[in-house]
Amino acid sequence: MRRRSFVSGLAGTAAGLGLAGAARPAAAAPASPAAAPGWSAVPVPDARPGARLYGVAAAGPDLAWAVGVEGLGGSGDGTAVALRWDGTAWTRTDLGALASAGPLTAVTAAGDRTAWAVGAGGLLLAWDGTAWQRTPYPGQGGAGTTVTDVVATGDGRAWAGGRHDGRAGLLHWDGRRWRWCAPLPDADAPTPGHVHVTPGGEVWVYGEVIARWDGAWTVLPHTPGVRSTVSGLLPVAHDDIWLTGYGYGVGGPPGKPPGVVLEHWNGTEWTWVKAPYSVGLLSSVTGDALGRPDRITGWDFWDQKRSHYLRWDGAAWVSERGPEMPETALMTDLARIPGTAGYWSVGTTSFYAGTTARMHIERHG
């Protein structure tokens, strides 16, 4: 779920990076571990060339959602795609005229009949059990107002990160209507790319700004690296927060692959954490049912034909690999399947927006 800034980075830097099919140097690192038992590729519906999935969410073993885009290529934005899992197979849902609005970048499951999705241009959609419908919210379509991500909670509420009247903020669904909360205190705060709600109900926004909302804002200091993107945040406690992302550093791009970003907040400062691989990216992080660290998904520059997950073993993040692919396995989002120990992971088969990119889904458990 919730990969807006990752989507921007993926779309903006893929062309010309020389990432796909890169030759490994003679002085290679030790061989990667074998694919973890339980990870397998799942068939996806046909789509037009240039297809990617950006977000996934699950309501249970028999209901999940995945959203993205097809028909990417050149300067075009492609058309939106929304898939639904019924316990047996993934099928397309009919978006009608909504499909022409550009990519859908985030989705959240709000129960057996309800889901929310966010798309390009501040589009906010609701699933009513039969079809996707545009959902109005204050300021929609106006200059300085947009939404970038959405997360539903078990009590029927939902939260969307975004911007209103030129100020970064948070949109709240109380079960009847959407309302904007007070904006972040810094009038120049950048628009948060993502929103996260903990199992205990704490609401966080993150991206170029990291902040907690509880009726007032608490902003965490964070100085990203040069040309870095924050793609995931897992607040376990106020003194235990994990952050994922990727960065190009000085001198790149073009021609230089990104480096992994993995950081930990201890209540006082952020510290850099060594990941099992360093060249590539981390695209999302998720917790278990209690919100404790569990899985991270990413892309390994030196082993592109298998997805590379990180699993928390209680003391450190360790490698866990997906199935061998004939093409790149670039996973963009990861979602726990409630009521099980399983996960959905979605992405694409190419860093490039052209005809080689296809939707890709993997499942664990």
Side-chain angles (χ1 to χ4, degrees):
M1 61 178 178
R2 307 164 309 275
R3 299 278 68 78
R4 182 67 178 185
S5 64
F6 174 75
V7 171
S8 300
L10 178 61
T13 62
L17 282 178
L19 299 178
R24 190 171 186 131
S32 301
W39 280 110
S40 59
V42 179
V44 297
D46 290 337
R48 292 163 54 204
R52 294 171 173 159
L53 292 172
Y54 292 135
V56 63
D62 299 328
L63 181 59
W65 303 92
V67 298
V69 67
E70 63 182 343
L72 281 174
S75 59
D77 292 331
T79 56
V81 172
L83 308 181
R84 186 174 182 269
W85 171 260
D86 63 6
T88 302
W90 287 97
T91 57
R92 297 174 70 111
T93 60
D94 185 9
L95 287 164
L98 298 172
S100 63
L104 293 178
T105 54
V107 66
T108 184
D112 292 340
R113 291 181 54 84
T114 306
W116 300 97
V118 166
L123 183 68
L124 181 58
L125 304 181
W127 175 262
D128 63 7
T130 304
W132 290 100
Q133 304 288 343
R134 288 180 183 266
T135 300
Y137 58 89
Q140 184 178 25
T145 298
T146 190
V147 292
T148 55
D149 193 11
V150 62
V151 176
T153 58
D155 58 3
R157 298 186 297 164
W159 303 85
R163 197 168 192 84
H164 180 50
D165 287 341
R167 294 284 298 273
L170 186 65
L171 188 63
H172 178 220
W173 172 258
D174 62 8
R176 296 182 302 167
R177 61 179 177 174
W178 289 99
R179 297 181 182 177
W180 286 98
C181 304
L184 272 90
D186 181 358
D188 295 324
T191 305
H194 316 281
V195 59
H196 175 87
V197 181
T198 70
E202 285 195 348
V203 183
W204 291 76
V205 297
Y206 63 97
E208 292 184 62
V209 61
I210 299 174
R212 182 179 73 251
W213 170 260
D214 58 7
W217 287 105
T218 300
V219 180
L220 265 62
H222 182 254
T223 303
V226 177
R227 301 188 187 187
S228 293
T229 295
V230 174
S231 63
L233 191 80
L234 182 65
V236 183
H238 292 177
D239 60 354
D240 184 5
I241 301 174
W242 293 96
L243 179 150
T244 62
Y246 58 98
Y248 290 95
V250 177
K256 179 180 179 181
V260 165
V261 172
L262 180 58
E263 298 180 45
H264 183 256
W265 172 259
N266 63 10
T268 303
E269 62 180 351
W270 291 98
T271 56
W272 190 271
V273 179
K274 183 177 175 59
Y277 66 99
S278 60
V279 184
L281 56 82
L282 302 178
S283 53
S284 67
V285 57
T286 190
D288 63 14
L290 298 177
R292 299 170 299 194
D294 200 350
R295 291 294 202 296
I296 294 173
T297 191
W299 170 80
D300 183 349
F301 177 74
W302 294 123
D303 193 359
Q304 298 184 28
K305 292 187 176 182
R306 292 184 296 174
S307 49
H308 200 152
Y309 303 96
L310 308 186
R311 176 179 55 83
W312 181 252
D313 69 359
W317 294 100
V318 298
S319 288
E320 189 172 85
R321 303 312 303 265
E324 185 80 21
M325 292 279 294
E327 304 164 275
T328 296
L330 174 59
M331 312 311 291
T332 56
D333 199 18
L334 181 71
R336 186 176 57 84
I337 304 173
T340 76
Y343 283 90
W344 286 111
S345 179
V346 301
T348 183
T349 60
S350 176
F351 229 107
Y352 295 89
T355 58
T356 60
R358 297 182 295 105
M359 298 186 295
H360 181 55
I361 298 179
E362 295 180 4
R363 182 171 180 170
H364 184 275

